[in-house]
Amino acid sequence: MRLSDTQIDAINHNEGPALILAVPGSGKTTVIIHRVNRLINQHGVNPERILSITFSKASALDMSRRYSKTFPYEGVRPVFSTIHAFCFRIIRDYSRKKKITYRLIEDEGESFNKYRILKDIYQSLYSSVITEEKMEAFLSYYGYSKNMMLPPDTLNKTKRIEASEFTQIYRMYEETKHKNRLLDFDDLLTMSHQLLVDNPKALEYYRRKFDYVLLDEGQDTSRIQLELLKLLAGPRYNIFIVADDDQSIYGFRGAYPQGLLDFKGSYPTGKVFYMEKNYRSSRNIVNLSNSFIRQNKSRYVKDVSTDNPYSRAVQVVRFRNVEDQYSYILKSISKSTHSKVAVLYRNNLSALGLMNYLEKNNTQFYMRDVKLKFFNHWLVKDIYAFMELALDCSNVAVFEQVFYKMKGYISRKMVNWLKGRNIERNVFKELLKYPGMSEFYRKQLLELELDFKKLQKMTPAKALRYIRANLNYDGYIHENSLRFGYTFEQLKEMLYHMELIAAQTGNYFNFKERMDSLRELMMASSKNWCNLTLSTVHSAKGLEFDNVFIIDLVNRSFPSAASVEAMEEGDHSLLEEERRLFYVGMTRAKTSLDLLFYETMDDRKTDPSGFLEELEGISEKG
């Protein structure tokens, strides 16, 4: 394999700190494995004395495979590890010496895990069951505070979980783990760092054990990970960091690109190498994506180029609605049967309608993200409950789930009174017997009874629209969306996708069966290797495809509503990360890139992503 002069310069770096800024498609893995091989074969370094850290287990396995393929006749192989695996090794060595046993609580398959602990803590504090949304929010902020080395009380007010609530759960969770010698993945980092800081002998042992430290995907590394590796690399600081600050897209879980921007401050003698040639994409894609990312301010300035020829121009395509977007993708795929194609999106929810459409049109796909929580979402459960109540109006348990989510002003007292009675016909008729019932309430109950009789005769799609408009469920979700950590637009989008699925079914049972079959299809698709991949942009990072479609490019969806709101308040950091995410999506494409936007959803006009306007402005200038 012929290496470029820039790659050779980086590979030949020997002593001292180095930062290699590797743009998309520039051959960063090639540089890492060649540099490791050079240390072993030209400098006589024992492979065991090279600490090679990468971001994920999959990346570590891929790097090991690539090394073996490139250097098949080597004897002792170097080890490529994740930072968490390495930290676990430090803790295991320490616990053996101290004769202490720690237990890892990350396995969801085990009956005793961190989720069970958090559920019990929440129950003991608030006498209620923690929702999936709150659990997810807690773990997100918890991981962020640990990785950024921030105390829990620095959490700002958020829409998803109260700061005081977060702090209380955090402290009880920490106490439970400490008391029972339990560890989660974030503890592996914090505890390892603390052990090395508090135990100079242990630190010296690991420093003597490794002469060289290599870090892949440096832009995804958190503050504590960078501090830990810096600690290990001292005092010679033979640390070799391969990264691209323009591809830092994991800020929500503690990725710390500022650590790269501060490289010269941390390592005054360090060298910075620029690998600016893209070997992957056509000149059209390289030029446009490079001009696009240059609009970010917090970054290293790079002049990305390619020797690849011009190909098909990047397409920005507008559609009347979501279904037209799907139709365009299907027609395009049918013309390129031998190409590797990816459909990328900002949020997993985008996969739902597309998956439904592809299956209906007998088109196979592979899906990288199969943890779509939509099927267990409270919104879906609410719609099921309304439809079930229409089928059986005597079901008090189902009525209790939705009585306060529709028009009618039915009180909790009324429901409690109802639960103590024998319901023969329906809850609405029984409530007419409630003591002191006014004529106003009587009319409302009779109207609701008529509404549910109408619902019983409707197809699922019509029923869904009726629930939203006539029972005023839209009013309920509009009023409560922020409390649940969503925007009203996000919840309406979920209902819209439900309606697309419901439109294919004739009754509630068919509808529920279709939803269940889509969930099974999604799970099965993760093993369905084929040329069409559906993925979030986050999960597609590091991959490449012949043709890429980025879909649902609607403002406040991509870029996210949170980033737009933060920008309006003067904070551009979230929007810059969203722009980096979009850049990652663009640079997955080798020969063709289509950016898709629809003009209406759920009978409302949508605005195109601000990024599309930026790209059109760049095209006009260029």
Side-chain angles (χ1 to χ4, degrees):
M1 180 182 189
R2 189 172 180 276
L3 300 169
S4 70
D5 291 343
T6 311
Q7 288 174 324
I8 291 168
D9 287 344
I11 291 163
N12 286 341
H13 175 80
N14 189 18
E15 298 290 320
L19 172 61
I20 291 76
L21 294 168
V23 305
S26 61
K28 69 176 182 63
T29 305
T30 298
V31 165
I32 292 172
I33 62 176
H34 275 80
R35 201 245 176 176
V36 170
N37 185 261
R38 182 177 178 277
L39 289 174
I40 296 167
N41 287 315
Q42 292 189 31
H43 293 276
V45 179
N46 184 331
E48 293 181 352
R49 300 186 69 79
I50 302 171
L51 177 60
S52 298
I53 296 293
T54 190
F55 183 62
S56 67
K57 188 176 180 181
S59 297
L61 290 170
D62 179 61
M63 204 162 286
S64 181
R65 180 186 59 79
R66 291 272 295 274
Y67 187 94
S68 297
K69 188 177 178 181
T70 308
F71 306 105
Y73 306 112
E74 298 296 327
V76 181
R77 301 284 181 199
V79 175
F80 299 93
S81 171
T82 65
I83 186 73
H84 289 91
F86 175 71
C87 288
F88 190 64
R89 179 173 158 188
I90 293 175
I91 293 169
R92 188 182 56 206
D93 290 347
Y94 169 81
S95 61
R96 280 176 182 165
K97 190 175 286 187
K98 296 291 182 180
K99 295 182 179 178
I100 299 170
T101 302
Y102 288 100
R103 181 177 175 183
L104 198 60
I105 52 171
E106 285 287 346
D107 190 350
E108 288 186 59
E110 295 289 330
S111 58
F112 187 71
N113 55 45
K114 69 180 181 182
Y115 303 97
R116 180 73 265 163
I117 294 167
L118 288 168
K119 284 175 183 176
D120 290 345
I121 288 171
Y122 193 88
Q123 182 74 39
S124 69
L125 286 172
Y126 306 109
S127 301
S128 62
V129 177
I130 188 170
T131 63
E132 279 191 34
E133 288 77 19
K134 279 201 172 180
M135 175 74 82
E136 186 182 307
F138 173 82
L139 290 171
S140 175
Y141 295 125
Y142 170 82
Y144 180 83
S145 66
K146 286 269 188 170
N147 275 276
M148 291 298 288
M149 305 173 77
L150 296 170
D153 51 12
T154 58
L155 174 73
N156 294 324
K157 184 181 178 182
T158 73
K159 294 172 183 174
R160 298 178 68 200
I161 188 168
E162 288 294 325
S164 59
E165 190 176 290
F166 171 77
T167 304
Q168 199 171 14
I169 299 169
Y170 183 109
R171 287 180 176 149
M172 281 192 70
Y173 181 49
E174 291 296 282
E175 286 168 12
T176 302
K177 287 188 296 175
H178 180 72
K179 183 180 176 182
N180 297 286
R181 291 177 178 166
L182 306 172
L183 300 172
D184 59 28
F185 282 150
D186 294 309
D187 293 323
L188 298 180
L189 303 174
T190 54
M191 187 175 177
S192 297
H193 181 263
Q194 200 60 50
L195 283 174
L196 296 179
V197 168
D198 293 344
N199 297 275
K201 285 185 178 179
L203 175 59
E204 187 60 28
Y205 167 78
Y206 285 104
R207 281 179 169 177
R208 286 180 178 175
K209 194 173 181 63
F210 301 107
D211 295 321
Y212 295 89
V213 176
L214 288 88
L215 174 63
D216 181 31
E217 303 287 12
Q219 75 281 345
D220 297 328
T221 309
S222 68
R223 184 178 176 186
I224 194 164
Q225 290 169 1
L226 288 172
E227 289 293 328
L228 181 63
L229 294 175
K230 183 181 179 183
L231 199 61
L232 284 165
R236 290 186 298 165
Y237 297 111
N238 287 332
I239 186 165
F240 187 88
I241 302 173
V242 181
D244 182 7
D245 53 306
D246 288 332
Q247 294 187 74
S248 181
I249 58 174
Y250 292 105
F252 61 92
R253 64 187 186 202
Y256 189 57
Q258 190 60 40
L260 302 179
L261 299 176
D262 294 341
F263 178 77
K264 277 291 192 178
S266 299
Y267 305 100
T269 62
K271 291 184 179 179
V272 179
F273 297 87
Y274 287 81
M275 287 171 46
E276 298 170 300
K277 183 162 285 187
N278 182 315
Y279 296 94
R280 173 189 299 151
S281 305
S282 70
R283 193 163 296 187
N284 314 62
I285 295 167
V286 169
N287 291 348
L288 188 62
S289 59
N290 186 38
S291 297
F292 174 74
I293 198 60
R294 281 187 169 193
Q295 293 174 93
N296 272 3
K297 306 299 180 191
S298 300
R299 63 186 293 269
Y300 284 97
V301 178
K302 308 174 195 72
D303 187 18
V304 187
S305 64
T306 186
D307 293 334
N308 294 334
Y310 284 101
S311 182
R312 173 176 172 271
V314 175
Q315 305 290 304
V316 176
V317 194
R318 299 181 181 224
F319 301 95
R320 187 169 51 88
N321 55 40
V322 176
E323 296 97 307
D324 289 348
Q325 177 184 239
Y326 298 156
S327 176
Y328 174 82
I329 292 168
L330 193 61
K331 285 176 185 174
S332 301
I333 291 168
S334 65
K335 295 173 187 175
S336 54
T337 51
H338 299 296
S339 299
K340 283 184 66 179
V341 180
V343 181
L344 307 181
Y345 32 82
R346 173 66 178 85
N347 300 306
N348 249 324
L349 181 61
S350 292
L352 187 66
L354 180 60
M355 180 173 62
N356 181 51
Y357 187 89
L358 292 172
E359 197 268 348
K360 192 172 68 172
N361 286 277
N362 303 311
T363 303
Q364 287 195 325
F365 57 87
Y366 162 67
M367 193 168 172
R368 284 187 63 80
D369 311 274
V370 294
K371 291 185 178 179
L372 184 55
K373 295 181 179 177
F374 171 82
F375 296 102
N376 291 320
H377 198 276
W378 55 264
L379 193 82
V380 174
K381 291 176 181 176
D382 280 355
I383 298 301
Y384 286 167
F386 277 115
M387 292 182 179
E388 285 171 15
L389 186 61
L391 293 172
D392 179 10
C393 279
S394 68
N395 193 328
V396 179
V398 173
F399 178 67
E400 191 176 11
Q401 286 179 245
V402 293
F403 76 92
Y404 58 95
K405 299 176 182 181
M406 58 184 170
K407 66 181 185 182
Y409 306 106
I410 297 166
S411 70
R412 167 57 68 180
K413 269 188 176 181
M414 290 179 181
V415 176
N416 289 340
W417 175 85
L418 199 62
K419 285 162 74 175
R421 299 178 68 80
N422 183 25
I423 313 297
E424 292 182 6
R425 288 183 293 172
N426 67 55
V427 290
F428 304 107
K429 273 199 166 41
E430 196 67 27
L431 278 173
L432 292 173
K433 302 173 187 175
Y434 185 75
M437 177 67 66
S438 69
E439 189 58 31
F440 171 74
Y441 274 113
R442 285 181 63 83
K443 284 181 180 178
Q444 285 197 334
L445 287 169
L446 289 169
E447 188 178 320
L448 278 171
E449 182 185 15
L450 183 60
D451 284 328
F452 278 87
K453 280 181 180 177
K454 289 178 181 177
L455 268 181
Q456 190 179 41
K457 298 173 184 176
M458 291 178 185
T459 63
K462 284 184 180 177
L464 218 162
R465 287 194 291 273
Y466 195 88
I467 290 163
R468 295 179 61 184
N470 296 66
L471 294 182
N472 197 30
Y473 185 65
D474 269 9
Y476 167 77
I477 62 173
H478 183 265
E479 191 176 319
N480 292 278
S481 55
L482 296 182
R483 186 165 64 88
F484 291 124
Y486 295 89
T487 63
F488 182 42
E489 287 73 23
Q490 285 172 322
L491 295 177
K492 285 203 296 183
E493 186 179 348
M494 293 176 77
L495 288 167
Y496 176 78
H497 283 295
M498 279 188 80
E499 192 177 318
L500 284 182
I501 297 164
Q504 301 172 34
T505 62
N507 58 54
Y508 168 68
F509 301 104
N510 295 151
F511 172 51
K512 199 163 184 304
E513 280 173 10
R514 179 61 181 161
M515 291 283 280
D516 290 341
S517 71
L518 283 173
R519 176 167 49 187
E520 289 169 11
L521 174 68
M522 178 190 69
M523 299 305 292
S525 72
S526 65
K527 299 180 180 69
N528 186 25
W529 302 103
C530 61
N531 283 341
L532 174 59
T533 296
L534 312 186
S535 175
T536 60
V537 181
H538 280 103
S539 289
K541 186 171 169 291
L543 303 178
E544 60 181 47
F545 306 89
D546 298 310
N547 310 326
V548 168
F549 300 87
I550 307 181
I551 66 170
D552 295 355
L553 293 177
V554 178
N555 205 34
R556 301 179 72 83
S557 178
F558 200 176
S560 67
S563 67
V564 173
E565 289 166 10
M567 182 197 66
E568 289 168 351
E569 293 171 6
D571 179 2
H572 290 256
S573 60
L574 283 179
L575 188 66
E576 290 216 346
E577 176 155 328
E578 289 283 307
R579 193 177 281 112
R580 293 194 294 268
L581 184 62
F582 197 90
Y583 173 73
V584 166
M586 293 177 73
T587 54
R588 299 312 92 202
K590 293 167 75 174
T591 55
S592 77
L593 173 63
D594 290 70
L595 309 173
L596 311 185
F597 158 67
Y598 49 81
E599 293 176 337
T600 59
M601 172 180 268
D602 198 29
D603 298 325
R604 63 184 171 87
K605 190 178 182 301
T606 59
D607 294 320
S609 164
F611 293 154
L612 292 182
E613 294 174 358
E614 289 180 17
L615 287 166
E616 286 172 350
I618 291 166
S619 298
E620 287 166 12
K621 289 177 192 173

